[in-house]
Amino acid sequence: MKILLTGANGQLGTDLQSVFADPGHHDVLAAGRSRLDVAEREQVLAVVGTFAPDLIIHAGAWTAVDACESDPDRAWKVNALGSRHVAEAARAVEAHLLAVSTDYVFDGASTEPYREWDAPNPQSVYGRSKLAGELEVLEGCPGASVVRTAWVCGAHGSNMVKTVLRLAAEHDRLRFVDDQRGCPTFTEDLASMIYRLAVARLPGRFHVTNQGPTTWFGFAQDVLRAAGRDPGMVDPIATDDLKPPRPAPRPANSVLDNAALRLSGIPLLADYHEPLERTVRALVG
Ligand SMILES: NC(=O)c1ccc[n+]([C@@H]2O[C@H](COP(=O)([O-])OP(=O)(O)OC[C@H]3O[C@@H](n4cnc5c(N)ncnc54)[C@H](OP(=O)(O)O)[C@@H]3O)[C@@H](O)[C@H]2O)c1
């Protein structure tokens, strides 16, 4: 099978490369932004048209959530228009398209985990541009799928696990918010589920996260525990205590019910403590 990955050098893209390369019998074009800028329609149509993939995994996005607030045109161009281009190109070669999206499509006001069928209400430019990208994909390419995930961490790129380990090496005490809840999700596990869903060509929206909701405060403590450090060095704070406040609002509740997986009888990803242990071992030895 011929597979094209967009955003292939990102945090998730790097693990997608491993997962799709592993079975050995796939022809994979792992395209980073320099090879395939999704915002450039002619380039997308040319690269996809020449390679003629059976499957496209669209993980490329402008993910700088706060920077999106000050440069909305770039967010819309990459995340929304870029997804339109990928959908058009996938349709032209009749490839199955799976695009990756985010918990930021929800406002986080619910006290319940969000299902795939709950009404989105994004509060940030990033969230609005990603929701528009979802619609471009689902409406522009028949049979396409969208995988929404949250709180992504892994061995590659920057993420909260690395931030906690770095801050713990530099400071005696750390502060993390205790009023934002979500499910930390590890790229190796997420990439494996994306592989499974994409190869089966399952259409529609899927929420895919590791299991076990926590807060950033709770997660920071878990990271320190996994690294053999004292979790007591973290103090809980409220989002309102962040000085200066972050430009983009974050959902207070980012917990995604993996309902479409669960109701389809597909086993959910493991509790996040398992991949966290693995990742911390890989990072600190
Ligand atoms: N990180 C999270 O917590 C999180 C949570 C929910 C959903 N997601 C979604 O998961 C997917 C993967 O995110 P990630 O965590 O792996 O982020 P990432 O490390 O920032 O990876 C995104 C990749 O997309 C590339 N990219 C940026 N602009 C592009 C363009 N115009 N054309 C093609 N590629 C472009 C980036 O390349 P450059 O670095 O060269 O710009 C980067 O390699 C994204 O769709 C994101 O929205 C992430």
Side-chain angles (χ1 to χ4, degrees), residues 10-12 33 36-38 59-61 63 100-101 126 130 149 152:
Q11 184 178 208
L12 173 61
R33 179 156 60 106
L36 180 60
D37 182 340
V38 296
T63 60
V100 183
S101 190
Y126 170 73
K130 290 290 293 181
T149 188
V152 175

Side-chain angles (χ1 to χ4, degrees), residues 91-223:
R91 194 176 62 237
V93 299
E94 296 182 359
H96 177 64
L97 173 59
L98 182 153
V100 183
S101 190
T102 171
D103 52 310
Y104 281 54
V105 300
F106 295 115
D107 60 19
S110 171
T111 52
E112 297 295 315
Y114 285 95
R115 294 191 192 90
E116 289 82 348
W117 300 278
D118 288 332
N121 184 25
Q123 299 296 299
S124 60
V125 170
Y126 170 73
R128 286 194 286 275
S129 67
K130 290 290 293 181
L131 178 62
E134 287 188 8
L135 297 173
E136 292 288 354
V137 162
L138 293 174
E139 291 170 6
C141 187
S145 47
V146 165
V147 165
R148 286 190 189 134
T149 188
W151 293 27
V152 175
C153 305
H156 314 284
S158 55
N159 57 59
M160 189 56 95
V161 176
K162 290 185 183 175
T163 301
V164 171
L165 294 175
R166 178 175 50 76
L167 291 175
E170 294 168 354
H171 303 278
D172 293 334
R173 299 216 60 81
L174 309 181
R175 289 151 41 105
F176 282 95
V177 298
D178 199 25
D179 56 2
Q180 293 174 24
R181 290 179 71 71
C183 294
T185 300
F186 285 77
T187 46
E188 276 184 356
D189 291 1
L190 175 60
S192 298
M193 183 62 83
I194 287 174
Y195 181 91
R196 179 175 183 159
L197 296 175
V199 168
R201 291 180 163 242
L202 295 183
R205 287 189 178 86
F206 289 87
H207 287 175
V208 180
T209 61
N210 281 112
Q211 301 304 295
T214 185
T215 65
W216 287 120
F217 163 70
F219 188 50
Q221 290 191 309
D222 286 336
V223 172

